[in-house]
């Protein structure tokens, strides 16, 4: 019997050129911006993956000659990627990419800046849709600020009409034969603003489709800083241990004199357990039981400081540093206030966070519940984490 179920839609096939031969002078850094890390992978990899997912084949990546190694590493394993030598200007880099497609002669080509990592599929769909009736299609956004025309003497002149102006992004979509011929015969400024301008000069009709703020081009050093700041996480943890006679009472790595102590597999430091779970929560890496199973005899009577130290090390490996800790200990007795500063100092010594960033609070539950009856102590913690590597 014929299979009548809907097959998943096949992606439309088209070629793509990703220009990545620039030096990224405005962004600075040890290597050109397109090969720097951006949200966990090389910046260029984001858009090349999006193009591959959208069905682009081949994807020609245009490179400066000394960056081939960087590009090979950054794009390892993505199907359809080929490298082409870039030119002195962006226009020349695009022209080289188009030349390299001659044999294949695709019907449609998308030209994209490697410096725009976030490439939504919806934009690709709009561009390809508009190409059926036009020689080219480009994503644009309205101008939100009012505009002024700057004169050479630094004063304002003329009248700028915001309503008819648009901000232009990439990718830009073209019928291959037309954009190839336009670039080949380009006799304008050595660095054409973009490919649509090259085609427009030849009289090609270019559709304006809705762009996307996410397509923003990474240009300046601050763009990397802002991105790093954006990588901020929080985690929370909660723990309870039973108060019993004949046990020591440890809170935040400090032994506190009391007629009862906390029972548990390790030293039962409920406060450090809550902080440890908050750190693990912030990096999405399980909980204290995942890393230190209570069934494992090696953790019997263990100092809980090592659990927290290990969680902070895992956060570091994941690329995050602790920003601050806010801990609340919930018990009727003992009084926490007199021990607060030694507890903050103990946590600070454990993980190298300044005491200003370690808050230790305590509350009772008004004699209500298990903490109110002195049967146990509860602790909850919240931590902030921020990315340490751009
Ligand atoms: N580009 C290129 N070949 C050139 C110049 C630029 O392929 N000769 C590419 C860049 O790699 C980038 C895109 O064109 O992906 C947009 O250019 P831009 O943002 O100006 O990047 P850079 O020229 O590298 O940066 P800068 O101008 O700050 O040096
Ligand atoms: Mg440039």
């Amino acid at each position: 019997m014929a299979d009548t179920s809907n097959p998943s839609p096949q992606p439309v096939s088209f070629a793509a050129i990703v220009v990545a031969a620039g030096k990224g002078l405005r962004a600075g850094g040890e290597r050109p911006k397109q090969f720097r890390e951006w949200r966990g992978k090389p910046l260029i990899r984001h858009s090349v993956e999006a193009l591959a997912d959208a069905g682009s084949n081949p994807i020609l990546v245009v490179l400066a000659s000394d960056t081939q190694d960087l590009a090979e590493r950054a794009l390892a394993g993505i199907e359809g990627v080929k490298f082409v030598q870039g030119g002195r200007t962006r226009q020349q880099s695009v022209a080289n990419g188009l030349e390299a497609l001659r044999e294949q002669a695709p019907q449609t080509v998308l030209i994209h800046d490697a410096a725009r990592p976030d490439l939504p599929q919806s934009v690709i769909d709009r561009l390809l849709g508009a190409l059926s009736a036009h020689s080219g299609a480009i994503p644009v956004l309205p101008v939100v600020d009012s505009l002024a025309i700057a004169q050479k003497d630094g004063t304002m002149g003329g009248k700028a009409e915001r309503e008819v102006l648009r901000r232009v992004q990439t990718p830009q979509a073209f019928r291959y034969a037309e954009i190839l011929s336009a670039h080949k015969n380009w006799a304008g400024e050595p660095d054409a603003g973009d490919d649509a301008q090259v085609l427009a000069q030849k009289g090609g009709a270019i559709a304006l489709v809705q762009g996307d703020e996410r397509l923003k081009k990474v240009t300046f050093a601050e763009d990397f800083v802002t991105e790093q700041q954006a990588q901020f996480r929080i985690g929370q943890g909660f723990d309870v241990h039973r108060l019993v006679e004949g046990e020591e009472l440890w809170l935040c790595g400090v032994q506190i004199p009391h007629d009862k102590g906390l029972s548990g597999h390790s030293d039962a430091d409920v406060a450090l357990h809550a902080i440890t779970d908050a750190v693990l929560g912030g990096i999405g890496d399980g909980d204290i039981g995942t890393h230190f199973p209570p069934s494992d005899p090696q953790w019997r009577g263990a100092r809980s400081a090592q659990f927290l130290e290990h969680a902070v090390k895992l956060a570091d490996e994941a690329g995050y540093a602790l920003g601050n800790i806010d801990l609340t200990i919930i018990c009727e007795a003992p009084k926490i206030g007199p021990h607060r500063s030694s507890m903050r100092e103990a946590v600070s010594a454990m993980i190298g966070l300044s005491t200003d960033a370690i808050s230790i609070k305590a509350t009772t539950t008004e004699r209500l519940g298990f903490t109110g009856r002195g049967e146990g102590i509860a602790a909850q913690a919240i931590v902030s984490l921020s990315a340490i590597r751009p």
Side-chain angles (χ1 to χ4, degrees), residues 26 116 186 191 193 223 231 239 242 253 280 285 375 384:
R26 285 169 289 177
R116 300 179 192 266
W186 175 250
D191 201 1
D223 294 335
Q231 293 211 15
D239 196 26
R242 195 181 285 274
L280 294 172
D285 191 358
E375 293 164 9
S384 70

Side-chain angles (χ1 to χ4, degrees), residues 1-331:
M1 207 169 97
D3 180 11
T4 52
S5 63
N6 274 341
S8 56
Q10 285 297 308
V12 189
S13 170
F14 54 92
I17 293 172
V18 177
V19 280
K23 292 193 167 71
L25 295 177
R26 285 169 289 177
E30 278 172 15
R31 51 186 125 153
K33 61 188 177 185
Q34 57 272 33
F35 303 112
R36 286 173 65 184
E37 204 73 358
W38 181 267
R39 292 188 201 152
K41 44 186 151 174
L43 193 145
I44 188 175
R45 191 174 179 97
H46 291 265
S47 61
V48 173
E49 278 181 346
L51 286 163
D53 289 348
S56 175
N57 198 340
I59 304 170
L60 299 194
V61 178
V62 186
L63 295 175
S65 48
D66 55 351
T67 58
Q68 173 103 15
D69 282 358
L70 283 172
E72 274 173 17
R73 260 180 281 137
L75 300 173
I78 306 176
E79 219 165 292
V81 170
K82 297 195 169 94
F83 300 120
V84 177
Q85 170 86 40
R88 211 172 39 75
T89 64
R90 184 187 180 283
Q91 188 271 325
Q92 286 167 358
S93 292
V94 173
N96 289 3
L98 290 166
E99 276 298 333
L101 280 173
R102 250 181 206 283
E103 206 172 301
Q104 165 129 5
Q107 219 183 350
T108 300
V109 62
L110 252 60
I111 302 174
H112 185 57
D113 289 334
R116 300 179 192 266
D118 294 331
L119 171 43
Q121 172 74 42
S122 53
V123 175
I124 297 178
D125 293 343
R126 288 197 283 275
L127 291 167
L128 295 177
L131 262 199
S132 53
H134 299 85
S135 308
I138 63 174
V140 297
L141 288 172
V143 177
V144 289
D145 295 316
S146 75
L147 296 172
I149 292 177
Q151 303 189 111
K152 284 213 173 77
D153 67 358
T155 62
M156 190 174 101
K159 187 165 179 278
E161 301 229 26
R162 175 173 63 186
E163 292 68 27
V164 297
L165 294 175
R166 300 288 180 272
R167 290 183 286 146
V168 176
Q169 304 180 309
T170 78
Q172 303 189 346
F174 302 98
R175 295 191 193 152
Y176 173 69
E178 290 176 55
I179 191 69
L180 172 68
S181 143
H183 263 285
K184 238 180 90 172
N185 299 313
W186 175 250
E189 291 284 305
D191 201 1
D194 61 43
D195 309 295
Q197 289 179 28
V198 173
L199 182 63
Q201 220 192 17
K202 290 273 147 201
I206 295 156
L208 304 183
V209 308
Q210 192 196 323
D212 195 307
E213 291 292 354
R214 285 172 289 177
L215 272 168
K216 181 180 171 336
K217 183 158 71 71
V218 176
T219 303
F220 301 105
E222 303 87 89
D223 294 335
F224 282 93
V225 177
T226 314
E227 173 59 21
Q228 204 179 334
Q229 284 166 347
Q231 293 211 15
F232 172 84
R233 290 184 167 205
I234 55 173
Q236 69 91 29
F238 176 75
D239 196 26
V240 171
H241 278 274
R242 195 181 285 274
L243 268 174
V244 295
E245 274 166 18
E247 289 278 359
E248 294 173 345
L249 176 59
W250 289 86
L251 289 173
C252 289
V254 174
Q255 189 175 6
I256 294 174
H258 191 50
D259 57 351
K260 288 180 182 170
L262 291 172
S263 83
H265 195 66
S266 60
D267 65 8
D269 189 326
V270 68
L272 288 185
H273 294 183
I275 301 172
T276 303
D277 258 0
V279 175
L280 294 172
I283 57 167
D285 191 358
D287 59 23
I288 198 166
T290 324
H291 295 276
F292 307 99
S295 53
D296 188 337
Q298 69 167 308
W299 309 123
R300 178 164 304 139
R303 281 171 58 248
S304 296
Q306 65 185 296
F307 302 158
L308 179 58
E309 284 155 9
H310 185 69
V312 171
K313 187 164 151 269
L314 289 175
D316 181 76
E317 283 165 14
Y320 288 90
L322 226 57
N324 72 306
I325 298 173
D326 189 6
L327 170 78
T328 304
I329 298 171
I330 305 155
C331 61

